[in-house]
Amino acid sequence: MKNNQSILILDFGSQYTQLIARRIREANVYSEIHPHTFSLEEINALNPSGIILSGGPMSVYDDEAPQINKEIFNLGIPILGVCYGLQLIANNFNGKVEPADDREYGKANIVIKSDSSILNGVTDSSVVWMSHGDLITKIPEGFSINAETDNTPICVLTNEELKIFGLQFHPEVAHTEDGKKIINNFLFDICKIEANWTPANFVKQSIENIKAQVGNQKVICALSGGVDSSVAAILMHQAIGENLICVHIDSGTMRKNESANIIKMFEENYNLNLIHVDASQKFLLRLEGVSDPEKKRKIIGTTFIDVFEEESKKIGNAKYLVQGTLYPDVIESVPVMGQSVTIKSHHNVGGLPEKMDLKLIEPFRELFKDEVRNIGRELGLPDSFVKRHPFPGPGLAVRIMGNITKEKLDILREADQIFIDELHNFGIYDDIWQAFAVLLPVQTVGVMGDARTYENVLALRAVTSVDGMTANWYPFKPDILEAASNKIIRNVQGINRVVYDISSKPPATIEWE
């Protein structure tokens, strides 16, 4: 979307950068995150309606602190600086930033001192969320102070003439009571942007883009059967019709009856060209003896591509491969900030060989999960399908700690199915973002009947989340966990102990590998 109806977010390493993007999109405005090194030429090419400078972990006076091209302030584009972004504005307009005597973290009450278009409708003394250890001690030239807190005398700065605004607090965080008003003030009153980022518009524009890119070429869609790949397949089919060939690969790491159910659903309900490839032996052979989770992901990603390339040769003239890559996959695999650390690679963004005959199409690369679900609804997919929990590309291979065997996969398949069935039985499946079982490389002593057992430990995981970037463990009622545990131990040979994971993200990830 390069038509001036977008917001550019320049990232300086804040933990909240993705949350800024989400809040803007919730207002039906498109936003893109780019590193702070994004050049003036790239900014002009994007032609955004506004620019937001994110927070960050460093201080602007540090020797290696990330900086910005000062010419950005001369583009005539409205700018909002948040936390580090505010201090960067001050630094570039001859203000002064120094370490604070008292660092300010958590809730504070904002005291409004003068009117500002960024604070329209904001309640005096309302709660804002602070996270900073520096203060502006000298007002930047041409700016006025609009608000303060007990520990922060310069909390909001404004240059109405240049349309440059700075906030020491984080409006994107839910704890900031009037954060939505502040963001909307910037979007609609200051940037004069239109709220046209909707599923219907996304579908329309995506179809136009896909047609322009693909023409009459053949396209292969990697159809796993999950929400992302299925929505991608239907979107592509609307764009190019019979030129789409969907390939479902059974990697041997799927859930119980997953492949059979996928084939049945698409054959009975959707007019797609669908090829089913059972490559389970190839995957399991390549995974034999491999325990390192990164190696598993790389092997699975490479093997998927190998199989697709084999199928493309059979098809004859396929030029493109479609994948349902999401924004969190990209963020976790390819850091936005140069100083960031890769958390884990995802098979659809981190495991591709250097040379690949097929060119990638990733229509959802800039989207969060809930946005893809809304697009699925727009395309007519039933709610029961679009609400399915996320399932990782490497499948159960990253839910078995240690090396992979068919026996372990079969054990985990049975246990996982029982767990998910219980969530449906108790009517709580839709309350949970993601739930699954993990087979641990740990055996413990148990007693079944009068006999001693020495079998595997199974961990259950269930979390609530909005986009997968952060997550909290789901607080089950004890009788639900008891029912799931009892059924698993009674019915799955090889498991004699069940535990529940109560870690949140961060510090843990949702998946165990």
Side-chain angles (χ1 to χ4, degrees), residues 206-220:
S206 295
I207 288 174
E208 291 175 0
N209 293 343
I210 291 164
K211 285 180 177 179
Q213 179 181 0
V214 171
N216 291 320
Q217 302 287 347
K218 295 286 185 182
V219 177
I220 297 178

Side-chain angles (χ1 to χ4, degrees), residues 32-48:
E32 286 188 14
I33 300 173
H34 290 281
H36 67 91
T37 53
F38 206 55
S39 68
L40 284 175
E41 292 76 16
E42 290 170 313
I43 293 173
N44 284 324
L46 182 63
N47 192 25

Side-chain angles (χ1 to χ4, degrees), residues 40 51 127 164 192 200 221 268 283 335 354 409 436 479:
L40 284 175
I51 297 173
V127 172
I164 299 176
K192 306 296 183 184
C221 178
E268 292 181 356
F283 278 86
E354 292 183 8
L409 286 163
F436 54 91
D479 58 325

Side-chain angles (χ1 to χ4, degrees), residues 479-492:
D479 58 325
I480 301 176
L481 284 176
E482 181 181 22
S485 176
N486 287 342
K487 284 190 178 181
I488 289 168
I489 292 172
R490 282 201 309 263
N491 293 286
V492 183

Side-chain angles (χ1 to χ4, degrees), residues 53-114:
L53 311 178
S54 84
M58 300 187 76
S59 298
V60 292
Y61 47 78
D62 290 341
D63 290 339
E64 297 183 0
Q67 297 298 324
I68 196 170
N69 189 327
K70 193 169 183 177
E71 288 302 310
I72 285 176
F73 299 111
N74 297 325
L75 294 176
I77 301 172
I79 292 175
L80 173 62
V82 176
C83 198
Y84 183 90
L86 161 71
Q87 295 164 15
L88 202 60
I89 291 170
N91 210 39
N92 277 277
F93 284 88
N94 298 318
K96 191 171 184 179
V97 180
E98 296 181 293
D101 292 332
D102 297 311
R103 296 188 175 192
E104 194 170 24
Y105 294 100
K107 295 179 180 180
N109 293 95
I110 189 173
V111 178
I112 298 175
K113 300 181 67 176
S114 62

Side-chain angles (χ1 to χ4, degrees), residues 202 228 231-232 235 325-327 362-367 372 375:
F202 177 88
D228 308 328
V231 176
L235 176 66
T325 309
L326 299 188
Y327 205 18
E362 296 172 311
F364 305 146
R365 189 179 176 87
E366 301 294 336
L367 300 188
V372 176
I375 289 162

Side-chain angles (χ1 to χ4, degrees), residues 263-296:
I263 299 301
K264 181 180 179 181
M265 182 185 76
F266 279 97
E267 284 182 347
E268 292 181 356
N269 298 287
Y270 301 97
N271 187 28
L272 299 180
N273 293 330
L274 180 57
I275 297 171
H276 176 214
V277 181
D278 185 354
S280 55
Q281 291 300 317
K282 177 178 289 189
F283 278 86
L284 293 179
L285 184 63
R286 292 187 179 184
L287 287 167
E288 187 174 353
V290 177
S291 297
D292 181 79
E294 277 298 287
K295 288 183 180 178
K296 289 180 189 176

Side-chain angles (χ1 to χ4, degrees), residues 116-327:
S116 169
S117 54
I118 199 70
L119 295 176
N120 284 342
V122 175
T123 304
D124 195 22
S125 297
S126 63
V127 172
V128 297
W129 185 260
M130 292 289 191
S131 180
H132 66 98
D134 296 320
L135 287 177
I136 297 172
T137 56
K138 177 187 173 184
I139 303 172
E141 293 175 5
F143 285 77
S144 60
I145 302 173
N146 307 106
E148 64 182 16
T149 67
D150 287 344
N151 293 321
T152 307
I154 302 177
C155 183
V156 178
L157 282 176
T158 295
N159 185 319
E160 295 281 354
E161 183 180 353
L162 296 179
K163 294 186 177 180
I164 299 176
F165 307 84
L167 310 173
Q168 186 58 74
F169 57 89
H170 290 272
E172 70 275 17
V173 175
H175 299 296
T176 298
E177 292 178 341
D178 286 330
K180 183 177 180 180
K181 288 181 182 178
I182 292 170
I183 290 172
N184 285 351
N185 286 341
F186 182 69
L187 298 177
F188 304 119
D189 297 339
I190 296 167
C191 297
K192 306 296 183 184
I193 203 165
E194 296 176 11
N196 60 8
W197 175 247
T198 63
N201 283 344
F202 177 88
V203 168
K204 180 182 177 182
Q205 185 168 347
S206 295
I207 288 174
E208 291 175 0
N209 293 343
I210 291 164
K211 285 180 177 179
Q213 179 181 0
V214 171
N216 291 320
Q217 302 287 347
K218 295 286 185 182
V219 177
I220 297 178
C221 178
L223 181 60
S224 70
V227 174
D228 308 328
S229 66
S230 298
V231 176
I234 294 170
L235 176 66
M236 292 297 301
H237 187 254
Q238 288 201 7
I240 62 174
E242 292 299 309
N243 282 330
L244 177 69
I245 299 98
C246 294
V247 179
H248 172 70
I249 297 174
D250 183 355
S251 63
T253 63
M254 306 289 284
R255 290 169 289 198
K256 185 177 180 181
N257 299 324
E258 183 85 358
S259 287
N261 291 336
I262 290 165
I263 299 301
K264 181 180 179 181
M265 182 185 76
F266 279 97
E267 284 182 347
E268 292 181 356
N269 298 287
Y270 301 97
N271 187 28
L272 299 180
N273 293 330
L274 180 57
I275 297 171
H276 176 214
V277 181
D278 185 354
S280 55
Q281 291 300 317
K282 177 178 289 189
F283 278 86
L284 293 179
L285 184 63
R286 292 187 179 184
L287 287 167
E288 187 174 353
V290 177
S291 297
D292 181 79
E294 277 298 287
K295 288 183 180 178
K296 289 180 189 176
R297 289 177 177 273
K298 296 288 187 182
I299 289 169
I300 290 171
T302 301
T303 307
F304 266 114
I305 297 302
D306 289 346
V307 174
F308 281 123
E309 288 194 325
E310 291 173 12
E311 292 304 314
S312 70
K313 290 173 184 176
K314 296 176 187 177
I315 293 167
N317 59 348
K319 300 295 182 184
Y320 296 93
L321 169 63
V322 179
Q323 289 188 314
T325 309
L326 299 188
Y327 205 18

